[in-house]
Amino acid sequence: MRVSDTMTREVKVASPEDTIARAAELMVLHDTGVAPVGEDGKLVGMITDRDIAVRAVAAGKGPDTRVRDVMSRDVKFCFEDQELEAVARAMADLRVRRLPVLDRGRRLVGIVSLGDLAVASTDAAAGGALVGICRPGGDHNQTP
């Protein structure tokens, strides 16, 4: 099975110039804990509800803080035509619960989540990803 068979396609993108309050509103409106950050048609970051809580609120930053100040910039991603099992292993290795999905032209076309893996996978891909994800650290950790 390919990523494109299970990913979420309707993805709302935040701007690096948005406030974290606006990003949080976007997450509430679409019932998600993450928003890709785009600028000039390119994926430039990811912001999560945890980024807002840990990198902003816990650090004493207010709701007018810009997304660019707390987002993860080194975004890990996958391609829509990759096999789901390979992406699950990558998510485990990277310790991330979600990956933006790009087409081969590097345009954002969706997001694949641990939940997507759990629903779509008929083997142990989701469980293996979860074991890896739950290890401390990783590229998208909360250290500024």
Side-chain angles (χ1 to χ4, degrees):
M1 180 176 287
R2 299 202 184 278
V3 172
S4 60
D5 296 327
T6 187
M7 70 185 189
T8 300
R9 292 181 184 278
E10 297 298 319
V11 179
K12 303 305 177 195
V13 178
S15 163
E17 296 305 314
D18 286 343
T19 65
I20 60 172
R22 175 66 188 126
E25 290 169 3
L26 187 68
M27 290 177 201
V28 169
L29 184 62
H30 299 286
D31 191 27
T32 184
V34 64
V37 182
E39 187 172 47
D40 299 325
K42 295 180 182 169
L43 182 65
V44 296
M46 293 286 284
I47 186 165
T48 67
D49 48 5
R50 184 165 167 82
D51 292 330
I52 293 169
V54 175
R55 292 181 178 166
V57 176
K61 296 177 182 178
D64 292 330
T65 300
R66 299 289 171 208
V67 166
R68 68 176 135 64
D69 296 330
V70 297
M71 70 183 190
S72 295
R73 293 176 188 277
D74 183 23
V75 181
K76 306 304 181 194
F77 60 88
C78 63
F79 291 108
E80 65 183 338
D81 60 355
Q82 284 183 269
E83 291 294 326
L84 204 54
E85 291 76 20
V87 171
R89 285 190 302 275
M91 290 170 72
D93 291 344
L94 295 167
R95 299 181 201 135
V96 297
R97 288 171 169 75
R98 306 165 194 98
L99 280 177
V101 181
L102 307 181
D103 65 16
R104 290 295 173 170
R106 301 243 175 182
R107 186 178 57 90
L108 181 69
V109 294
I111 289 184
V112 65
S113 70
L114 182 59
D116 295 330
L117 295 177
V119 170
S121 182
T122 57
D123 59 15
L130 183 59
V131 168
I133 289 166
C134 289
R135 293 181 323 218
D139 289 327
H140 289 184
N141 69 33
Q142 300 303 312
T143 306

